[in-house]
Amino acid sequence: MGLLSRKVTCNSHGQDSSYFLGWQEYEKNPYDEVKNPKGIIQMGLAENQLCFDLLESWLAKNPEAACFKRDGQSLFKELALFQDYHGLPAFKQALVDFMAEIRGNKVTFDTNNIVLTAGATSANETLMFCLAEKGEAFLLPTPYYPGFDRDLKWRTGAEIVPIVCTSSNGFQITESALEEAYQEAQRKNLRVKGLLVTNPSNPLGTTIKRNELDLLINFITVKEIHLISDEIYSGTVFSSPEFISIMEVLKDRKMDKSQEWERVHVVYSLSKDLGLPGFRVGAIYSNDPIVVAAATKMSSFGLVSSQTQFLLSAMLSDKKFTKEYLSKNHKRLRKRRSKLVSGLEKTGISCLDSNAGLFCWVDMRHLLSSDTFEAEMELWKRIVYDVKLNISPGSSCHCTEPGWFHVCFANMSEETLKLAMQRLKSFVASITINKQSHQELMNTRRKNRTNWVFRLSFQSFHDREQDER
């Protein structure tokens, strides 16, 4: 052990979270309709598998892109040899155009300001290296994606201070919550370097409202700090209110010449919107040339392969395809969420009203044995080990209220979702029966105790009456 680095042996990687522990249990016993029908169903993975048929159809119609050819000529050697880590110009252009299309072309993006990374994980960590020193802090609204404890902190040494949001207003960000988090960081002697928000939110599945975005910009203006807007779910918004990018707010407020213009940074990825997490395509968009230059150098530790860039530049440049894909993706996500919500309602469980993402923020507070995080973990373990559904407890997302759970719906077939709901319904029914039996037992005991006290009192009264006679 003495020959290993402290980074290797420390316990600051965040992998001991129940979010990751649930994944480990799933991997030991994964559900398979044929091979393992009693296994654990994975509902903790925010993966979009609803539109693979569209991707495969495009590949079938465009074999040259998949075979790395142009006009019948092989590009394999060209793509296999060394490429500059700035990325292929054609892909960067196709990517920024796709980002603009998702935002209704209300904003445009400059290819000179984009840095390609191996997924959003790499993008967020790279920004931490660029914006914060070890021991400095970023403020994050709760609940937030459990992986941030690993992605933002483990190797960078940066700290996270939660902005506590509650169910009383649908977990919206408030000015008082922002200020309290800032003061909490100061009490801990942490210098705050910025805010990081996910919009749409993971795990809430909601878009951040315009008044909240204005609040965030006002806050970073006053505090003179950075803002990172992780917008990797921007193409999954399937109902109103519509998605508003932080870049659109800056544009509307005519802040392109302001200092804040260079202190706002966007993270994007094709993992969620296009359902391609295995391709490892992420990006940083920043108007600060120093950040772009530094992040570009750092990107050499996590490049996107030239073959991937070539294939996706052809796909994203096909505007007929991207328009059809986004439209059908929204419809399918809306329909699938509706099926999950309907299934939960039949079980007596409700969700936070949401309009985006690949998941729901599910309210199971009424199923807790007590209003504690210990009771939440007890319920979570029963759902994982007995019901055999891997969902994520709210505490893993740093929610301050016990009983909320993160449940994904887009990474499985409709039949598998039905089975998951059947399992959950049976489990909730058993809990209800047990609670009723327990209540009936308590009522019987209370009744018997009352009758016993009454008989005892009556006997005492009778004895006194006899003595008086």
Side-chain angles (χ1 to χ4, degrees), residues 85-86 112 115 130 286 288-299:
Y85 49 50
H86 286 79
N112 293 318
V115 180
C130 289
S286 174
D288 186 336
I290 299 176
V291 170
V292 171
T296 300
K297 297 181 181 72
M298 291 182 188
S299 71

Side-chain angles (χ1 to χ4, degrees), residues 22 42 83 114 123 131 180 184 196 202 235 392 457:
Q42 174 63 289
Q83 294 287 342
I114 199 164
L131 306 181
E180 174 56 33
E184 176 63 19
L196 187 151
N202 176 14
S392 303
S457 300

Side-chain angles (χ1 to χ4, degrees), residues 6 8 23 49 58 115 117 124 133 139 224 231 235 244 295 358 365 370 392 428 455 460 467:
R6 281 182 293 178
V8 169
W23 275 52
Q49 297 186 20
W58 186 91
V115 180
T117 63
N124 279 311
E133 300 290 350
L139 310 181
E224 298 184 339
E231 300 182 357
I244 304 173
L358 314 174
R365 288 176 290 181
S370 63
S392 303
V428 173
R455 288 197 301 270
S460 298
D467 290 342

